[in-house]
Amino acid sequence: MELKSEPELRLAPGEENQLIVSFLIKEGYHIQANRVKDENLIPTKLSFESAEGFIIGDPVYPRADEFRMEGVKEPLAVFGDTLKIRVPVKTANTLEKQRAQIKGKLYFQPCDASKCYYPREFDFNLSIRVKQ
């Protein structure tokens, strides 16, 4: 897993916009979608630490692809190649001009064509600039 580029969002105090966080998934692998069809699989989950003055909304995941894994009857709901997740972000009306780093974490279960692996965590930072 790799962050495609460190995202940065510029907002004025009280403004709301969407941040797009893009992850590159290693070739030959996929990760389980945020909603899995098999309860034995681990769904992908994007989370953030709270940051004073910022309201980070619920992530909006893309539509999952179907993948037929060797030895499994039903297709799996997965993300492959590049995963782009939209995240609503709003700043407090009282924020001063600043640059904030917010820590994020992607929790996911990688799989290849024949097996799934233990879940992993990928830590990253995103940058938000408050402009006046």
Side-chain angles (χ1 to χ4, degrees), residues 5-11 51-52 54 91 95-102 125-132:
S5 63
E6 183 176 317
E8 181 173 277
L9 185 62
R10 294 174 188 259
L11 296 170
E52 190 173 332
F54 296 94
T91 58
L95 273 182
E96 305 269 332
K97 183 178 179 179
Q98 66 173 304
R99 181 175 184 250
Q101 290 285 330
I102 298 176
N125 293 312
L126 63 89
S127 180
I128 299 177
R129 286 190 188 264
V130 178
K131 57 188 179 181
Q132 293 295 332

Coordinates of all heavy atoms in Angstrom, one line a residue, residues 5-11 51-52 54 91 95-102 125-132:
S5 N -0.1 10.5 -3.3 CA 0.6 11.7 -3.0 C 0.0 12.3 -1.7 O -1.2 12.0 -1.4 CB 0.4 12.7 -4.2 OG -1.0 13.1 -4.3
E6 N 0.8 13.0 -1.0 CA 0.3 13.6 0.2 C -0.7 14.6 -0.1 O -0.4 15.7 -0.7 CB 1.4 14.2 1.1 CG 0.9 14.7 2.4 CD 2.0 15.2 3.3 OE1 3.0 14.6 3.4 OE2 1.8 16.3 3.9
P7 N -2.0 14.4 0.3 CA -3.0 15.3 -0.1 C -3.0 16.6 0.8 O -2.5 16.6 1.9 CB -4.3 14.6 0.2 CG -3.9 13.5 1.2 CD -2.5 13.2 1.0
E8 N -3.3 17.7 0.2 CA -3.5 19.0 0.9 C -4.7 19.7 0.5 O -5.1 19.7 -0.7 CB -2.3 19.9 0.7 CG -2.4 21.2 1.5 CD -1.1 22.0 1.4 OE1 -0.2 21.8 2.1 OE2 -1.2 23.0 0.5
L9 N -5.4 20.2 1.5 CA -6.7 20.9 1.2 C -6.5 22.3 1.8 O -6.0 22.5 2.8 CB -7.8 20.1 1.9 CG -9.2 20.6 1.7 CD1 -9.7 20.5 0.3 CD2 -10.2 19.8 2.6
R10 N -7.0 23.3 1.0 CA -7.0 24.7 1.5 C -8.5 25.1 1.7 O -9.3 25.0 0.9 CB -6.4 25.6 0.4 CG -4.9 25.3 0.2 CD -4.4 26.1 -1.0 NE -3.1 25.7 -1.3 CZ -2.0 26.4 -0.9 NH1 -2.1 27.5 -0.3 NH2 -0.8 25.9 -1.3
L11 N -8.7 25.6 3.0 CA -10.0 26.0 3.4 C -10.0 27.3 4.1 O -9.0 27.6 4.8 CB -10.7 25.0 4.3 CG -10.9 23.6 3.8 CD1 -11.3 22.7 4.9 CD2 -12.1 23.7 2.7
A51 N -8.8 16.5 15.4 CA -7.9 17.6 15.3 C -8.8 18.9 15.7 O -9.8 19.1 15.1 CB -7.3 17.8 13.9
E52 N -8.3 19.6 16.7 CA -9.0 20.8 17.1 C -9.3 21.8 16.0 O -8.4 22.1 15.3 CB -8.2 21.4 18.3 CG -9.0 22.5 19.0 CD -8.3 23.1 20.2 OE1 -7.5 22.3 20.8 OE2 -8.6 24.2 20.5
F54 N -11.3 21.3 13.4 CA -11.6 20.6 12.2 C -12.7 19.5 12.4 O -12.6 18.8 13.4 CB -10.4 19.9 11.5 CG -9.4 20.9 11.1 CD1 -8.3 21.1 12.0 CD2 -9.4 21.5 9.9 CE1 -7.3 22.0 11.6 CE2 -8.4 22.4 9.5 CZ -7.4 22.7 10.4
T91 N -13.9 23.4 8.6 CA -13.1 24.2 9.6 C -14.0 25.0 10.5 O -15.1 25.4 10.0 CB -12.1 25.1 8.9 OG1 -12.8 26.0 8.1 CG2 -11.1 24.4 8.1
L95 N -11.1 29.5 13.4 CA -9.7 29.1 13.1 C -8.9 30.3 12.5 O -9.4 31.0 11.6 CB -9.6 27.9 12.1 CG -9.7 26.6 12.8 CD1 -9.6 25.5 11.7 CD2 -8.6 26.4 13.8
E96 N -7.6 30.4 12.9 CA -6.7 31.4 12.3 C -6.0 30.7 11.2 O -6.0 29.5 11.0 CB -5.7 31.8 13.4 CG -6.3 32.3 14.7 CD -6.5 33.8 14.7 OE1 -5.7 34.5 14.0 OE2 -7.4 34.2 15.4
K97 N -5.3 31.6 10.4 CA -4.4 31.1 9.3 C -3.4 30.1 9.9 O -2.7 30.5 10.8 CB -3.8 32.3 8.6 CG -2.9 31.9 7.4 CD -2.4 33.1 6.8 CE -1.5 32.7 5.6 NZ -1.0 33.9 4.9
Q98 N -3.3 28.9 9.3 CA -2.4 27.9 9.8 C -2.3 26.8 8.8 O -3.1 26.7 7.9 CB -2.8 27.4 11.2 CG -4.1 26.6 11.1 CD -4.5 25.9 12.4 OE1 -3.7 25.1 13.0 NE2 -5.6 26.3 13.0
R99 N -1.3 25.9 9.1 CA -1.2 24.6 8.3 C -1.3 23.5 9.4 O -0.5 23.5 10.3 CB 0.1 24.6 7.6 CG 0.2 23.3 6.8 CD 1.5 23.3 5.9 NE 1.6 22.2 5.1 CZ 2.5 21.2 5.3 NH1 3.4 21.3 6.3 NH2 2.5 20.1 4.5
A100 N -2.2 22.6 9.2 CA -2.4 21.5 10.2 C -2.1 20.2 9.6 O -2.5 20.0 8.4 CB -3.8 21.6 10.7
Q101 N -1.5 19.3 10.3 CA -1.3 17.9 9.9 C -2.3 17.1 10.7 O -2.4 17.2 11.9 CB 0.1 17.5 10.2 CG 1.2 18.1 9.4 CD 1.2 17.5 8.0 OE1 0.9 16.4 7.7 NE2 1.6 18.4 7.0
I102 N -3.0 16.3 9.9 CA -4.0 15.4 10.6 C -3.6 13.9 10.2 O -3.3 13.6 9.1 CB -5.4 15.7 10.1 CG1 -5.8 17.1 10.5 CG2 -6.4 14.7 10.7 CD1 -7.1 17.5 10.0
N125 N -0.3 11.0 6.8 CA -0.7 12.4 7.2 C -1.4 13.1 6.0 O -1.0 12.8 4.9 CB 0.5 13.2 7.6 CG 1.1 12.6 8.9 OD1 0.5 12.4 9.9 ND2 2.4 12.4 8.9
L126 N -2.3 14.0 6.4 CA -2.8 14.9 5.4 C -2.6 16.3 5.9 O -2.6 16.5 7.1 CB -4.3 14.5 5.0 CG -5.3 14.6 6.1 CD1 -5.9 16.1 6.1 CD2 -6.5 13.7 5.7
S127 N -2.5 17.2 5.0 CA -2.3 18.6 5.3 C -3.5 19.4 5.0 O -4.0 19.3 3.9 CB -1.0 19.1 4.6 OG -0.8 20.4 4.9
I128 N -3.9 20.3 5.9 CA -5.0 21.3 5.7 C -4.4 22.7 5.9 O -3.9 22.9 7.0 CB -6.2 21.0 6.5 CG1 -6.8 19.6 6.2 CG2 -7.3 22.1 6.3 CD1 -7.9 19.2 7.1
R129 N -4.5 23.6 5.0 CA -4.1 25.0 5.1 C -5.4 25.8 5.3 O -6.3 25.8 4.5 CB -3.4 25.5 3.9 CG -2.0 24.9 3.8 CD -1.2 25.7 2.7 NE 0.0 25.1 2.5 CZ 1.2 25.5 3.1 NH1 1.2 26.5 3.9 NH2 2.3 24.9 2.8
V130 N -5.4 26.5 6.4 CA -6.5 27.5 6.7 C -6.0 28.8 6.2 O -5.0 29.3 6.6 CB -6.8 27.5 8.2 CG1 -7.9 28.6 8.4 CG2 -7.3 26.2 8.7
K131 N -6.8 29.4 5.2 CA -6.4 30.7 4.6 C -7.3 31.7 5.2 O -8.4 31.4 5.6 CB -6.5 30.5 3.1 CG -7.8 30.1 2.6 CD -7.8 29.8 1.1 CE -9.2 29.3 0.7 NZ -9.3 29.0 -0.7
Q132 N -6.9 32.9 5.1 CA -7.8 34.1 5.6 C -8.3 34.8 4.4 O -7.8 34.9 3.3 CB -6.9 35.0 6.4 CG -6.5 34.3 7.7 CD -7.7 34.0 8.7 OE1 -8.7 34.6 8.7 NE2 -7.5 32.9 9.4

